Amino acid sequence: MTIGQQLKKFRLLLGLSQADMAAEIVTASFYSKVERDQSEIIIDKLVEILNAHNISLNEFFEAFDKENLPNLNFPDLKLKCNTKC
């Protein structure tokens, strides 16, 4: 999952055009490139776009957590943990 893919998912769920989703925070052209992973958006602009559409950061990034949590490996934790862990 990429930032662009996640933005597109929310945009489609909201039934918005790319220009509407960009909300004059960034240009529609730039926003389109972000969705297609051809450009990267700075966090400030991403947060502005999410706020403009009442999308919480938690809600937006939740998919990234679910995608990556099964892949996390904590080998040191196993060494420090006693039998009650």
Side-chain angles (χ1 to χ4, degrees):
M1 172 81 48
T2 66
I3 297 291
Q5 290 169 341
Q6 190 69 341
L7 279 169
K8 183 176 182 178
K9 181 182 99 175
F10 275 93
R11 178 178 64 79
L12 294 174
L13 285 171
L14 294 170
L16 299 173
S17 68
Q18 289 181 332
D20 291 336
M21 188 69 169
E24 297 184 3
I25 296 163
V26 296
T27 65
S29 174
F30 177 76
Y31 178 85
S32 175
K33 290 178 184 177
V34 172
E35 271 197 6
R36 292 179 284 133
D37 299 320
Q38 294 178 345
S39 290
E40 293 181 357
I41 190 166
I42 62 171
I43 190 69
D44 295 348
K45 297 295 182 186
L46 175 61
V47 170
E48 281 186 61
I49 290 171
L50 297 179
N51 287 339
H53 300 291
N54 298 311
I55 302 167
S56 73
L57 289 173
N58 185 48
E59 187 177 20
F60 185 81
F61 286 106
E62 183 176 34
F64 295 92
D65 288 344
K66 288 180 179 177
E67 183 177 291
N68 292 317
L69 279 177
N71 301 322
L72 294 178
N73 186 10
F74 299 104
D76 292 339
L77 187 62
K78 292 176 186 172
L79 297 175
K80 296 177 184 176
C81 184
N82 63 27
T83 57
K84 294 182 181 179
C85 291

